[in-house]
Amino acid sequence: RKNAALALEAVAAARRRGAEVMLRVAGDVPDDLRAQAGRLGIADSVKFLGTLGNENLPGFYRGLDILLIPSRQEGLNIAGLEAGACGVPVVTTRCGGPEDYVTEGETGFVTGFDPVEIASRLSDIAAGRALRDRLSRNLRARVTEEYSEARFADRLGGLWQSIWDEPIPVVSQSAIVEPARSGGPTPP
């Protein structure tokens, strides 16, 4: 589903065009993917990082110039939102969820499954710092405005109100975390 083989093909195509792109692959990697990088002649342009812990993700994203989502099918794709929050533009295939926040030429690029088309978009961003900076600013603003915790709470509250015709019940945090006091009444 993640279609990492397409990412390798796109990097190989971009390198053939003269773009100096490197690919960092996070997560579990099957041996055939490493072999494919060798067959494509890009083994020296690909770094397989293994699984990254959540504490390492912000640094990983900030170290990227572009996040490529080559998937065949995706839901929301949290990685794209996380990268966007870190100021990294996204190039994604037409796979579903990322198309909600990746707008062509505004916050990144949406491509088909052709490695040459993907390579073209990667090369465009890699070659033009002004383009990368504009896409980055726009995506970061969209993620901050539309996908923040506060925005989620607002949407959830509105949905709750529309279904139940009442405001969402709120439990105070102090009632959850304060221990009962000995020798006196238990707080409500």
Side-chain angles (χ1 to χ4, degrees):
R1 192 186 84 169
K2 296 296 183 185
N3 209 7
L6 179 59
L8 294 176
E9 293 171 22
V11 167
R15 301 280 300 176
R16 285 192 300 272
R17 296 173 60 138
E20 293 187 29
V21 295
M22 302 284 296
L23 180 64
R24 294 184 194 143
V25 181
D28 294 327
V29 177
D31 290 337
D32 61 324
L33 204 60
R34 294 175 196 277
Q36 181 184 4
R39 283 192 306 276
L40 291 169
I42 59 167
D44 60 337
S45 300
V46 180
K47 187 170 187 174
F48 296 102
L49 305 173
T51 301
L52 301 176
N54 287 339
E55 69 279 0
N56 297 322
L57 291 177
F60 168 71
Y61 292 128
R62 288 184 190 112
L64 302 177
D65 286 322
I66 307 162
L67 179 75
L68 173 59
I69 302 171
S71 301
R72 290 183 192 94
Q73 178 184 356
E74 283 289 345
L76 183 61
N77 191 279
I78 298 297
L81 292 174
E82 291 171 338
C86 290
V88 178
V90 173
V91 173
T92 183
T93 53
R94 288 181 189 88
C95 60
E99 294 165 72
D100 287 344
Y101 53 88
V102 179
T103 302
E104 183 71 19
E106 183 182 322
T107 60
F109 292 103
V110 179
T111 70
F113 295 90
D114 176 13
V116 174
E117 179 186 7
I118 296 168
S120 175
R121 293 308 193 182
L122 295 174
S123 298
D124 290 346
I125 296 171
R129 196 70 194 176
L131 173 61
R132 186 215 178 268
D133 290 348
R134 181 175 56 78
L135 296 173
S136 172
R137 261 190 325 275
N138 291 344
L139 182 55
R140 189 169 196 298
R142 175 162 299 155
V143 168
T144 301
E145 291 167 15
E146 297 296 320
Y147 296 92
S148 68
E149 190 175 328
R151 182 74 168 136
F152 174 78
D154 287 346
R155 286 181 176 162
L156 180 60
L159 183 59
W160 184 280
Q161 179 76 38
S162 71
I163 292 170
W164 299 105
D165 196 27
E166 64 182 34
I168 195 167
V170 177
V171 177
S172 94
Q173 280 234 280
S174 61
I176 296 170
V177 296
E178 283 184 5
R181 296 182 184 103
S182 60
T186 303

